[in-house]
Amino acid sequence: MLFEDTYKTITGSAEGLFKDKGSKFFAYAYPIEDESEVKELVDQLKKEHFKAVHHCYAYRLGQDRTNFRVNDDGEPSGSAGKPILNVLLSKDITNILVVVVRYFGGTLLGVPGLINAYKTATQEALAEAEIVEKTVNEIYEVRFEFVQMNDVMKVVKEFGLKVKNQLFDNQCTLQLEFRRNMTNQIIGKLEKIEPIEIEHIATV
C-alpha cells in the first residue's frame, strides 16, 4: 500500500462539555506536534481544575498515525482514555491531544455511562474544532555549482517548489519542500543535472 500523503488534524484548541447525573465532563482538544507537549497541557488543566476528580486523556501523533496513548487517570480501565481515542480514530485525526476533565456529581455512572460520557464530551470538543487536511511533505537539500543554477531553478519553477533556504555562491545550496507523492518525479529531474548532490533532510 502506498503511504498516504495527507493527514487530518485541528488548527487550534477547542472545548466541549457533557453533563450526566450531576457529573460534568469538560473536554479540551489541542493540536500537538510532540509527546513533550502532553504533560505540560495536562498539568496546566490540573492546575485550572484542581477540584476535579479525573483528568483523562488520549493523544495521537505522527502522519502515519501509529503513535498514540490513553490515560484513564483513576477511572475504571478502558472507560475513559479509550473512548476518547476511539473518537480520534473514527474521525481519522492525528497530531492531537484531547483531555476530558470530570467533576463528580455524586451518582455513579457505571462503565457504559462513563464510556458514553467521555466519548460524547470528546465529540462535542471536536464539533467546535476546525479540522483541516494537510499534506505530508519532504524537505531535500540540493547542492550544485553556480553554472547549474538555471537548470535547477527551471525544476523549482516547473513544480512550484517551496524554497526553505538558499545560499548562492560558487557552490550553491537550496532547501526545497514538496509533497511526498511528487518525490520520484522531482528527484528524477534534479538527478539529470550534473554535478548535483541531493540529500533528504526531513519529513514534515
Side-chain angles (χ1 to χ4, degrees):
M1 184 180 119
L2 279 172
F3 185 97
E4 288 178 54
D5 80 333
T6 60
Y7 63 97
K8 286 194 285 190
T9 189
I10 58 173
T11 56
S13 55
E15 296 175 21
L17 171 64
F18 177 71
K19 298 176 187 175
D20 191 9
K21 294 178 183 164
S23 279
K24 289 180 184 172
F25 297 83
F26 293 90
Y28 298 87
Y30 303 99
I32 58 169
E33 294 290 333
D34 194 76
E35 276 174 61
S36 60
E37 296 170 67
V38 174
K39 188 179 184 313
E40 204 177 303
L41 289 163
V42 173
D43 286 349
Q44 189 182 312
L45 286 174
K46 282 182 175 174
K47 276 181 200 151
E48 282 173 37
H49 295 277
F50 59 90
K51 287 186 176 172
V53 281
H54 303 285
H55 303 77
C56 308
Y57 65 83
Y59 67 76
R60 206 170 174 216
L61 274 169
Q63 294 129 348
D64 58 1
R65 310 161 183 73
T66 53
N67 185 358
F68 60 87
R69 186 161 171 220
V70 299
N71 187 320
D72 292 319
D73 192 35
E75 290 282 36
S77 179
S79 69
K82 197 144 184 257
I84 298 170
L85 179 67
N86 284 341
V87 176
L88 305 185
L89 296 174
S90 72
K91 294 198 175 289
D92 197 23
I93 302 174
T94 189
N95 289 2
I96 183 172
L97 164 71
V98 174
V99 186
V100 179
V101 178
R102 181 190 182 188
Y103 285 86
F104 184 52
T107 305
L108 292 171
L109 301 181
V111 170
L114 288 173
I115 289 171
N116 179 60
Y118 282 100
K119 178 184 86 175
T120 309
T122 304
Q123 288 169 335
E124 291 294 327
L126 292 182
E128 296 301 313
E130 187 188 347
I131 298 170
V132 289
E133 189 166 81
K134 292 187 171 186
T135 57
V136 179
N137 290 351
E138 303 289 5
I139 298 174
Y140 277 81
E141 188 166 277
V142 182
R143 295 180 287 274
F144 52 94
E145 290 175 10
F146 191 75
V147 288
Q148 268 74 45
M149 171 73 74
N150 269 353
D151 294 335
V152 173
M153 293 317 282
K154 257 187 213 161
V155 178
V156 170
K157 207 169 173 185
E158 181 187 342
F159 291 98
L161 305 182
K162 184 175 174 184
V163 178
K164 302 275 292 174
N165 252 324
Q166 54 188 41
L167 174 69
F168 297 141
D169 206 342
N170 290 339
Q171 183 74 23
C172 304
T173 305
L174 279 182
Q175 272 193 7
L176 304 173
E177 182 179 332
F178 46 82
R179 191 167 165 173
R180 169 173 274 194
N181 67 0
M182 302 291 289
T183 303
N184 291 346
Q185 240 179 313
I186 292 163
I187 298 303
K189 276 265 170 100
L190 288 170
E191 280 174 341
K192 288 180 182 156
I193 301 164
E194 290 284 341
I196 195 165
E197 286 176 42
I198 303 164
E199 184 188 348
H200 181 253
I201 301 294
T203 300
V204 291

